[in-house]
Amino acid sequence: MKILIYHWNSYNQKDVEEAFVKTGNYITILERKTENIEEDMAYVYTVTDMLEQQKPDMLFSVNFFPVLAQACHETGIPYVCWNCDSPLLAMYNNAVFYNTNFIFTFDRSNYEEFKNLGVNHIYHLPLAANTEHFKNILKCNNTDIVLSKYDISFIGSMYENNSFDRIASSLPDYLCGYFDGALYAQLQVSGGNILEKLLTHDICRQLEEITDYRKSPDSFADIRTLFSTTVLGFKAASMQREFYLNSLAAYLQKTLSNKHKCFLHLFTGSNTDLLPFIKCHGKVDYNTEMPVIFRQSKINLNMTIPNIKTGIPLRVWDILSCGGFLMTDFRIELMDFFIPGEDIVVFEDAYELEDKAGFYLSHDTIRNKIAQNAYNKISKGHTCQNRIENILQTIQAYYPKR
């Protein structure tokens, strides 16, 4: 197939492009960026002209872009996207209903939501990783890799510059107190998201009166969706990460200090002033440095942002694709692919995180076996190329001559 791919800086962009080539397709890259993913008619006309001239079999992007959907709708060319963020606010746009769209999303709850809204061509497709790419990175760095260099590692943002902290001082006392309670309640929930449900009709009405959310005319995202994700979701993630990391670091210092000095390592570009017992490092490169750290760590942590309700985030696939040992918080879709205690280790609160971390730090053979099981499973059936083959099969079922 002849495929035009919109290129932007998503983490898995290069992996997806490579997978399309490996599956025997000819790709060209749409490098020009849009100024506004929902409202940019000049860009729509530019892409429309390009589609009419090149006549590709489809236009593809990582994540849904309404302006790309509109251009494909105008030309009758299939627009295919694979969402790696959830929820993706751009999906709450009237362009999502075009019959030329073929939308793949990794979070099953997100798929069910839009299926129920009447979106025809929407499919559930988990994320994956490029095991060959990571293997090559690790091979190139083989002489520098010191196994078990880090006891426990977490790579990621602390989300300290979140919208909630910026607006909290301007909120009425009642609302601020209510949201504090909602955020605390969210921290007690394992593997789910209750924030949206806690935004009652009355709370939403008050938010509409005091906030100034600017939406495109074609957007149908309501204040409940907008506030629960862009404001409360990131604040909850910030609180969760700070609590889990500090609790685990204190446990390592207190409980394991007499047996073996263990440390929790954080690799981030965030401010770390509130993480006193953690060995903090700077931000690392996704493609070249991150895989090495995963491989060098006895335990790799994943903490999923509450906005992802059921799906498996990309970080899980990344860690396992490098042969890393994974401890992750719970999401129901993990059970569709992995067996806890055999492929991965799941924790549901800080106490379980501490207990299991202590156990696996002192049981090397069991830990290494679990990591190897997960790597074998991903390599055989959960690579980026496997997922692209699924996408192509779906498109070709509708357009058999392409």
Side-chain angles (χ1 to χ4, degrees), residues 322-371:
C322 297
F325 175 86
L326 170 70
M327 286 188 63
T328 179
D329 55 358
F330 179 75
R331 286 298 183 275
I332 188 64
E333 289 185 49
L334 286 166
M335 304 301 104
D336 294 339
F337 302 95
F338 306 107
I339 301 174
E342 291 188 20
D343 307 312
I344 60 173
V345 173
V346 176
F347 62 88
E348 299 205 51
D349 55 41
Y351 303 107
E352 191 173 15
L353 170 60
E354 295 164 9
D355 183 59
K356 290 184 175 180
F359 175 83
Y360 287 106
L361 280 174
S362 58
H363 290 80
D364 295 352
T365 302
I366 298 175
R367 188 183 66 242
N368 293 335
K369 177 62 175 174
I370 290 174

Side-chain angles (χ1 to χ4, degrees), residues 123-141:
Y123 309 89
H124 175 241
L125 186 70
L127 297 174
N130 188 340
T131 52
E132 287 300 316
H133 167 73
F134 287 144
K135 185 187 296 183
N136 291 334
I137 293 295
L138 294 171
K139 185 177 180 180
C140 291
N141 290 274

